[in-house]
Amino acid sequence: MKLDRISYLTLGFVLGVALVLALLNQMTALGSALHVPTYVLALAGKYLCFAMLALAVDLVWGFAGILSLGHAAFFALGGYAMGMYLMRQIGTRGVYGNPNLPDFMVFLGWKELPWYWYGFDWFGFAMLMAVVVPGLLAAVFGWLAFRSRVTGVYLSIITQALTYALLLAFFRNDMGFGGNNGMTDFKDILGFNVQADSTRSALLVISALLLCGQFLLARFVVASRFGKMLIAVRDTESRTRFLGYRPESYKLVVWVLSAVMAGIGGALYVPQVGIINPSEFAPGNSIEAVIWVAVGGRGTLVGAILGAILVNFGKTWFTGALPEVWLYALGAMFIFVTLFLPRGVMGLFRARTSKEPEPEAPEVAAAHEVTG
Amino acid sequence: MIERDTLLYLDGVTVSFDGFRALNALSLRLNEGEMRAVIGPNGAGKTTMMDVITGKTRPDSGQVVFGKDTDLTKLDEPKIASLGIGRKFQKPTVFEPHTVWDNLLLALAGDRSPRFSLFARETAAEKRQIESILETTRLTDQRYRRSADLSHGQKQWLEIGMLLAQEPQLLLVDEPVAGMTDAETEQTAVLLREINQTRSVVVVEHDMAFVRALGVKVTVLHEGSVLSEGSIDFVSDDPKVIEVYLGR
Amino acid sequence: MRRIAALLLLIILMQGASVCRAEGIDDAYEALAASAGSISAASFNSVRLGIEQLAVSGDPRAAAVIGALQDGLLYANDDHALFIQQPDGSYADARTGNPAPDVTDDDVKAVRINNAVRSAIEAALGSLQLFAPDVPTRLAAASAVFTSHNPAALPALTRALAKEADPAVKQRMEQAKAAAIVYDPDASQRDRLAAVATLRARGDQDARSLLSTLAGQTGPVADAAASAVTAIDRVLQIWSVAQSVYYGVSLGSVLLLAAAGLAITFGVMGVINMAHGEMVMIGAYVTFVVQQTMHAYVPSLYQISLLIAVPMAFLVSGAVGVAVERSLIRWLYGRPLETLLATWGLSLVLQQVVRSLFGANNRDVDTPAWMSGATQLGGLTLTWNRMYIILFAFLVVAALMAALRYTSLGLRMRAVTQNRRMAAAMGIKTPWIDALTFGLGSGVAGIAGVALSQIDNVSPNLGQGYIIDSFMVVVFGGVGNLWGTTLGALTLGIVNKFLEPVAGAVLGKIVVLILLILFVQRNPRGMFPLKGRAVES
């Protein structure tokens, strides 16, 4: 697999910044001018996790034409799996000091651990669930949707309904996932203190490595014959059937892969922000992830990473400096990018190097083979 | 001419949309190795016939038998395609973001499963096959161009090339020369005859000069059923055909 | 203690002559004084008996005395004479109502009450009001007696029944009497059976709970009660289904209002407008502004400010819609996914604009008097505001259908959506028709906002809560089909309300969403798909 220069630069940037931040945090003294405070590590880690979500969205939207407005659901499910592990690690250090039950269950008066919490005190199992649960949900949903040829906006709207249904479900206390408070006050991960700078630094570097790994995996997929077929499915799905392909199985594979990638992002997100609650399922989150991709450049993978980091950096800055303005800025970004920058920031780079025409919208390009 | 086996047999196929009968008890027989031209005015049911054969539209009644005893009305598009029926659309639909080479690569007969395609590498045999199709369709010089950048006629050829790559027994070709220059039209006729050496072909076309140039048996469709069948001279002298085309 | 008793005896003897006149009543007054200064169980019991006696005595002063007792204004002196404290602090004789200027605060003690006494007071006041001059009070009194079903009220009820002329009140009194009789062990079996029959005929939850206590016992009365309970249960079940249907229709009408505009912009034009909810929200804020303006400048129109808000909301949301179409949507025709993203951005901006103008908090939109309250239809409770919204929703859809079918604008809209190029060739200015169609859909959303301001919080987030539901309704009903939208909305509303008692409100909604997802996957073109080849393209 050959990588272009921008891919190398992006990988180098992600790894380099993560390493430098982690080293500066670990090697310099607290008062030093070079010292990187903990919250910067947490922020950077958060951006990288969002970048994984964006990468997942780009894989399905950019290459298979599936505009998912529910991808944050997979992210959040991965996060919940990690959250459950972290809750189990609290042990007797909770407010109620109950060795068998997390605090919120004691509070609700539960007597024993629900069966679906079994195994989550074991890290390996929790991480397995962080990929299996989103993957399984995606498989069931995708199998139903793609098989019955639900496409375009209809698919987008039902993905949004999916995450909305999960949002409502996770708000319920009797689901056993902490209700609207979710899970927080984590103590240890694999025996290391989650709050400690060293753990934070390690988590940041791990996030960077996993992001790069996901990027390489995504590159491998889109560069393969499978990826070429995916693009063909995106632009002219009906045509591929007459060549003997089953586009639904191609979409299903990439859809499940994408959900798993999002789930991994979510699992790394939780220990770094220290909380997981149902608001992660909010439909707005999924749509925001789409705008990261749109800003960076749909169908470029690198653009998804850059877009996620760029937009979230902007969000952090705006909500700190001018909180009122952020929603205006976000809203305007949606409008501006769709109207004037359909290929995103990456489009600006590419425009200089090649003269590729603007990609036609898939719906327009879809085969219109209707005549008498 | 030696008597050959029937390859495709349509029997009493009826399709209606909201009361409008696009196909009305259409029956048609195509022999192995035959090339057939299908003509007819707008709305005669030519494209609907192709839709039924390729599984895009399910008929309300009637049978479509392929080969010995395969009932196509029970199968979906990918299954029918893998049985060896290829289709070229009226509006050329190639995979525009891909190069000519990649278009042909994706069309090549072979394993269609995602698992295979994820790890597939181009083999020498595949390369040879693509080269030969490029040759046949006169696209050798265009192999690394994005297919979106091809001329209209080149796209038509590429699509025919993709059909060939599928190695079908039967090609359904919908208006292959629409929008082509005279020179291109002539070349296309040659190309189709070349293809017909090894495969059966059904060509739907409006262009009478082109149909004449093909020099094959012609079926005239009108209001969803066969109006007349025979050589081009026979059908163009048929009073029923003249009435439909020219009116009284 | 003994001295007091002796004194008491003496007083009674001394006043012998006058006591004879109405012995029962005097005993009652006497008994009432028992808990002044003493709070033993016996004294409270005495007070309770006194109240009951007084209540059935027909004494014209009874209501005043018992009322005073309830308000803590009844006092007794050492001689057990009762006085009522007046608002100015002076005292009046309880029996006669004449002022008693000699009595001072030091002479008297308050008559104490406990819970048992308190409920006796309520029952007593209830039966006293059986004779009130106005019908609603008598009706309420009869209901109160029904609830207390105290056999002590029987004499009063019997007398009240004899005098009663109003049939509704009379019926209620008879039910109250029946309620008292079934619990009266002294009543004859025949009377009690008749009473069970009366209660069975009433057939509501209250009658059922009265009877079900009896049904557990043995004997003919209990058997009759048991069969009556079964019969009532059947009736109640039918009513509860009817009530669920009503709630469902009510929810459905809200969904319909929210989705009607979307049926135009999404269903007819194919534009995915994620800011549709914000058009609704704008309509709700227009209602707020109109109401505030009326309140400040034209109070006489305050009660009908909602009616004024309807055209205003239509115009404002419609104008916003036209502006949005001209500036944003028209660049994105044929690119539904991009439209979706851009209009989502627009929805964020619109929310933030409203937040900046009106603040993030909920705004109160008052419900006018003519929309408040409820009416009872058999076992159904119908609240007026919901009734109006149901009516309004159907009016809006009917008007929309008429506008599309009979106006020249409607004709052009249909022409443009069916065959844009042909319409343009016929001289129709298609860009303007697009803008007006979008404006129409947005305006209808604004109208929905007026109705929603009555049942939902008017806040910048108002619209977000409806957007997914609205899309679901339109998709479920079949795109481009107002009948489908109507039926889709009602079906979803009713299914939702029937699932709620089974699964709980939130879980019910989740179940509905999942069912919808499955439905859309099975029938991507809705309940009433358009057939034909045009669909294929």
Side-chain angles (χ1 to χ4, degrees):
Chain A
M1 183 168 56
K2 276 193 340 219
L3 288 183
D4 52 11
R5 203 148 48 105
I6 292 181
S7 300
Y8 278 121
L9 281 175
T10 309
L11 289 183
F13 170 76
V14 166
L15 276 177
V17 170
L19 274 173
V20 166
L21 288 180
L23 285 176
L24 283 181
N25 173 272
Q26 287 298 296
M27 299 299 185
T28 56
L30 202 60
S32 149
L34 286 175
H35 184 77
V36 172
T38 320
Y39 79 89
V40 173
L41 293 185
L43 266 182
K46 197 166 100 171
Y47 295 165
L48 295 186
C49 293
F50 284 153
M52 290 186 222
L53 175 59
L55 205 56
V57 170
D58 194 24
L59 198 55
V60 288
W61 185 36
F63 295 90
I66 307 166
L67 175 53
S68 168
L69 299 183
H71 243 56
F74 303 126
F75 185 80
L77 285 174
Y80 265 95
M82 175 62 101
M84 286 161 81
Y85 164 75
L86 293 171
M87 280 313 263
R88 300 301 291 144
Q89 293 312 106
I90 294 175
T92 55
R93 286 167 293 176
V95 178
Y96 295 106
N98 188 316
N100 296 320
L101 294 181
D103 273 351
F104 70 86
M105 289 188 194
V106 182
F107 181 75
L108 290 173
W110 291 22
K111 292 287 168 272
E112 45 187 300
L113 201 65
W115 60 268
Y116 47 81
W117 274 73
Y118 292 165
F120 275 93
D121 18 18
W122 186 46
F123 184 77
F125 179 79
M127 290 310 95
L128 187 67
M129 287 300 118
V131 298
V132 166
V133 172
L136 210 60
L137 176 68
V140 172
F141 181 88
W143 186 74
L144 285 168
F146 303 143
R147 195 190 48 144
S148 37
R149 302 191 185 175
V150 182
T151 54
V153 288
Y154 290 95
L155 188 62
S156 302
I157 290 169
I158 61 172
T159 55
Q160 190 166 33
L162 173 80
T163 190
Y164 187 57
L166 283 168
L167 170 75
L168 293 176
F170 274 77
F171 262 121
R172 290 163 54 87
N173 274 329
D174 47 8
M175 276 285 285
F177 297 110
N180 60 341
N181 294 321
M183 305 173 194
T184 187
D185 283 334
F186 305 131
K187 309 284 189 224
D188 294 343
I189 179 166
L190 288 171
F192 300 101
N193 181 0
V194 225
Q195 311 288 344
D197 277 9
S198 53
T199 318
R200 292 293 174 111
S201 305
L203 280 170
L204 175 63
V205 175
I206 292 170
S207 302
L209 285 171
L210 274 172
L211 175 60
C212 293
Q214 288 198 358
F215 173 75
L216 292 174
L217 177 68
R219 276 297 304 233
F220 166 76
V221 168
V222 302
S224 70
R225 200 176 292 185
F226 176 91
K228 286 174 182 158
M229 198 58 228
L230 220 47
I231 291 173
V233 168
R234 175 191 74 190
D235 290 353
T236 39
E237 177 169 341
S238 58
R239 183 72 181 86
T240 63
R241 293 183 209 280
F242 295 105
L243 280 183
Y245 286 94
R246 296 199 172 274
E248 57 272 18
S249 52
Y250 279 75
K251 291 205 270 190
L252 187 60
V253 168
V254 77
W255 176 251
V256 171
L257 174 68
S258 166
V260 166
M261 285 165 59
I264 293 173
L268 273 162
Y269 173 81
V270 169
Q272 301 190 73
V273 297
I275 184 167
I276 176 80
N277 61 34
S279 68
E280 298 297 335
F281 286 104
N285 284 13
S286 296
I287 302 184
E288 234 176 88
V290 171
I291 201 63
W292 305 336
V293 177
V295 165
R298 172 190 173 192
T300 59
L301 295 182
V302 173
I305 296 177
L306 294 181
I309 294 174
L310 216 64
V311 175
N312 280 295
F313 186 77
K315 181 176 186 170
T316 308
W317 185 81
F318 263 118
T319 43
L322 303 157
E324 282 277 295
V325 181
W326 167 243
L327 276 179
Y328 284 120
L330 184 65
M333 197 148 46
F334 274 98
I335 297 169
F336 180 82
V337 170
T338 46
L339 281 185
F340 303 110
L341 212 59
R343 309 202 65 197
V345 176
M346 289 300 288
L348 296 177
F349 284 109
R350 291 271 159 92
R352 272 188 245 152
T353 52
S354 82
K355 285 207 180 107
E356 292 176 11
E358 297 285 291
E360 220 181 334
E363 277 72 16
V364 177
H368 287 278
E369 57 269 6
V370 177
T371 40
Chain B
M1 212 186 218
I2 19 164
E3 192 58 34
R4 278 182 290 197
D5 289 341
T6 302
L7 180 66
L8 181 72
Y9 177 49
L10 277 74
D11 184 22
V13 174
T14 299
V15 174
S16 47
F17 300 114
D18 279 343
F20 166 70
R21 290 208 159 176
L23 290 183
N24 191 4
L26 173 72
S27 296
L28 193 118
R29 186 187 293 272
L30 185 79
N31 287 331
E32 225 161 82
E34 186 186 348
M35 167 137 67
R36 175 76 60 90
V38 177
I39 61 171
N42 275 333
K46 302 184 300 275
T47 300
T48 309
M49 180 189 81
M50 294 225 177
D51 285 349
V52 168
I53 298 171
T54 53
K56 185 167 184 247
T57 304
R58 295 237 180 281
D60 301 334
S61 61
Q63 270 194 314
V64 183
V65 181
F66 180 65
K68 283 207 163 43
D69 50 7
T70 313
D71 185 0
L72 296 183
T73 58
K74 304 265 187 297
L75 307 174
D76 64 356
E77 301 104 307
K79 187 83 192 128
I80 291 173
S82 58
L83 281 176
I85 298 183
R87 177 174 182 182
K88 196 204 83 64
F89 289 90
Q90 183 179 345
K91 179 173 177 266
T93 37
V94 296
F95 304 132
E96 306 228 334
H98 291 318
T99 60
V100 170
W101 183 278
D102 283 348
N103 266 284
L104 292 173
L105 180 68
L106 290 175
L108 279 183
D111 195 339
R112 257 50 170 149
S113 74
R115 197 207 318 216
F116 170 80
S117 66
L118 257 177
F119 304 103
R121 301 200 162 271
E122 271 175 50
T123 61
E126 284 174 335
K127 283 192 177 121
R128 269 199 309 278
Q129 215 180 338
I130 293 174
E131 291 288 358
S132 107
I133 293 168
L134 286 172
E135 197 84 28
T136 317
T137 52
R138 298 148 179 88
L139 287 167
T140 309
D141 297 341
Q142 316 292 337
R143 65 173 80 175
Y144 298 127
R145 279 184 75 187
R146 261 168 51 112
S147 58
D149 303 338
L150 297 178
S151 76
H152 183 78
Q154 285 171 326
K155 280 187 195 170
Q156 298 271 35
W157 282 335
L158 173 56
E159 207 181 354
I160 293 172
M162 288 165 72
L163 273 187
L164 289 176
Q166 276 179 268
E167 297 181 10
Q169 282 178 273
L170 170 65
L171 280 83
L172 305 174
V173 188
D174 201 349
E175 302 202 16
V177 296
M180 279 191 177
T181 62
D182 286 351
E184 284 173 333
T185 304
E186 222 163 277
Q187 282 181 321
T188 307
V190 172
L191 180 61
L192 284 178
R193 273 202 299 273
E194 226 173 279
I195 292 167
N196 186 226
Q197 307 277 310
T198 48
R199 307 166 205 285
S200 311
V201 182
V202 174
V203 185
V204 167
E205 192 44 83
H206 274 303
D207 187 332
M208 280 306 184
F210 176 71
V211 173
R212 196 171 286 279
L214 286 176
V216 296
K217 188 174 174 186
V218 176
T219 299
V220 184
L221 289 191
H222 177 56
E223 289 178 352
S225 40
V226 175
L227 185 70
S228 177
E229 207 165 60
S231 72
I232 182 74
D233 294 326
F234 173 79
V235 298
S236 44
D237 287 342
D238 189 333
K240 284 182 291 180
V241 176
I242 295 171
E243 187 186 314
V244 165
Y245 268 88
L246 301 175
R248 241 194 279 240
Chain C
M1 223 26 212
R2 189 172 297 170
R3 228 185 84 204
I4 297 176
L7 203 69
L8 205 119
L9 191 68
L10 188 69
I11 293 165
I12 293 171
L13 287 178
M14 275 164 68
Q15 297 186 336
S18 56
V19 170
C20 290
R21 180 175 53 84
E23 199 169 356
I25 298 175
D26 280 335
D27 285 350
Y29 280 94
E30 197 72 33
L32 277 184
S35 74
S38 155
I39 49 168
S40 69
S43 60
F44 282 128
N45 208 27
S46 153
V47 173
R48 198 167 57 76
L49 290 174
I51 292 168
E52 283 168 6
Q53 248 176 316
L54 195 58
V56 297
S57 65
D59 185 333
R61 294 284 306 153
V65 174
I66 298 175
L69 180 58
Q70 187 177 37
D71 297 340
L73 297 175
L74 190 67
Y75 290 82
N77 65 9
D78 290 344
D79 299 337
H80 283 203
L82 290 168
F83 301 95
I84 296 172
Q85 193 178 38
Q86 302 300 305
D88 60 4
S90 71
Y91 292 87
D93 186 274
R95 284 175 205 236
T96 60
N98 295 332
D102 304 340
V103 180
T104 64
D105 290 351
D106 297 335
D107 299 336
V108 290
K109 294 198 176 86
V111 178
R112 309 274 192 85
I113 54 178
N114 68 356
N115 278 340
V117 173
R118 208 167 275 125
S119 53
I121 290 174
E122 274 155 23
L125 285 176
S127 54
L128 282 171
Q129 279 164 347
L130 290 172
F131 302 98
D134 59 321
V135 172
T137 313
R138 292 208 301 278
L139 203 59
S143 301
V145 176
F146 181 88
T147 316
S148 72
H149 56 82
N150 189 343
L154 273 175
L157 259 180
T158 314
R159 277 191 300 118
L161 262 173
K163 277 174 34 185
E164 189 55 59
D166 188 287
V169 180
K170 197 159 186 158
Q171 190 195 14
R172 192 62 61 84
M173 283 180 173
E174 260 153 15
Q175 289 164 350
K177 193 176 163 188
I181 288 177
V182 284
Y183 273 100
D184 187 357
D186 300 335
S188 74
Q189 192 175 67
R190 216 185 48 154
D191 283 353
R192 291 179 72 194
L193 283 175
V196 169
T198 311
L199 290 178
R200 175 176 178 157
R202 175 172 161 132
D204 67 351
Q205 190 62 49
D206 296 335
R208 186 195 180 280
S209 56
L210 279 178
L211 289 169
S212 64
T213 326
L214 277 184
Q217 300 163 3
T218 51
V221 176
D223 294 345
S227 91
V229 166
T230 326
I232 291 175
D233 277 345
R234 226 173 7 244
V235 173
L236 281 179
Q237 204 167 7
I238 294 170
W239 282 120
S240 103
V241 169
Q243 185 82 57
S244 291
V245 170
Y246 173 70
Y247 285 143
V249 171
S250 165
L251 175 65
S253 66
V254 171
L255 291 176
L256 178 57
L257 274 172
L262 205 65
I264 302 292
T265 53
F266 176 53
V268 176
M269 299 179 75
V271 171
I272 309 293
N273 182 16
M274 294 299 275
H276 180 77
E278 277 57 46
M279 302 297 172
V280 176
M281 182 264 289
I282 289 174
Y285 272 93
V286 169
T287 315
F288 169 72
V289 171
V290 167
Q291 200 172 62
Q292 292 300 307
T293 315
M294 293 298 148
H295 188 63
Y297 300 106
V298 206
S300 58
L301 295 180
Y302 183 69
Q303 283 297 323
I304 57 159
S305 59
L306 280 190
L307 299 184
I308 302 167
V310 170
M312 291 296 288
F314 180 81
L315 289 177
V316 173
S317 290
V320 173
V322 170
V324 166
E325 199 280 341
R326 282 292 82 190
S327 59
L328 183 63
I329 308 280
R330 70 160 156 160
W331 307 110
L332 296 167
Y333 281 121
R335 292 160 67 193
L337 297 183
E338 279 81 354
T339 314
L340 191 157
L341 292 178
T343 51
W344 175 267
L346 177 72
S347 78
L348 294 180
V349 171
L350 288 176
Q351 280 174 36
Q352 192 60 25
V353 167
V354 169
R355 204 171 284 130
S356 307
L357 287 177
F358 294 93
N361 296 332
N362 293 345
R363 290 300 184 157
D364 285 328
V365 174
D366 288 337
T367 304
W370 49 271
M371 273 182 77
S372 317
T375 182
Q376 198 77 26
L377 182 77
L380 280 184
T381 312
L382 309 175
T383 47
W384 282 116
N385 60 350
R386 291 283 179 169
M387 291 273 277
Y388 275 109
I389 287 176
I390 293 173
L391 201 67
F392 185 64
F394 286 109
L395 275 178
V396 168
V397 172
L400 202 53
M401 282 183 186
L404 284 180
R405 179 161 299 198
Y406 299 116
T407 66
S408 108
L409 178 65
L411 181 68
R412 281 164 216 219
M413 281 178 190
R414 281 181 292 140
V416 169
T417 50
Q418 278 162 20
N419 191 333
R420 169 172 301 271
R421 258 178 266 170
M422 184 58 117
M426 306 274 290
I428 297 175
K429 291 196 178 72
T430 54
W432 269 112
I433 296 298
D434 288 336
L436 288 179
T437 312
F438 197 80
L440 176 69
S442 304
V444 171
I447 291 182
V450 179
L452 293 187
S453 73
Q454 291 301 305
I455 52 169
D456 204 342
N457 298 325
V458 178
S459 77
N461 302 327
L462 170 76
Q464 280 186 318
Y466 291 96
I467 187 71
I468 293 180
D469 286 340
S470 306
F471 270 109
M472 283 295 169
V473 166
V474 176
V475 172
F476 180 55
V479 168
N481 185 335
L482 270 177
W483 283 112
T485 307
T486 310
L487 279 175
L490 293 181
T491 313
L492 283 187
I494 291 171
V495 169
N496 225 325
K497 285 298 169 187
F498 271 93
L499 275 175
E500 257 177 33
V502 187
V506 178
L507 202 61
K509 193 156 174 58
I510 297 168
V511 170
V512 168
L513 269 179
I514 291 173
L515 286 180
L516 258 179
I517 292 174
L518 290 177
F519 176 84
V520 171
Q521 295 187 326
R522 217 154 243 297
N523 310 284
R525 301 190 193 281
M527 283 198 295
F528 302 101
L530 302 167
K531 285 192 187 131
R533 292 198 299 176
V535 173
E536 301 284 315
S537 55

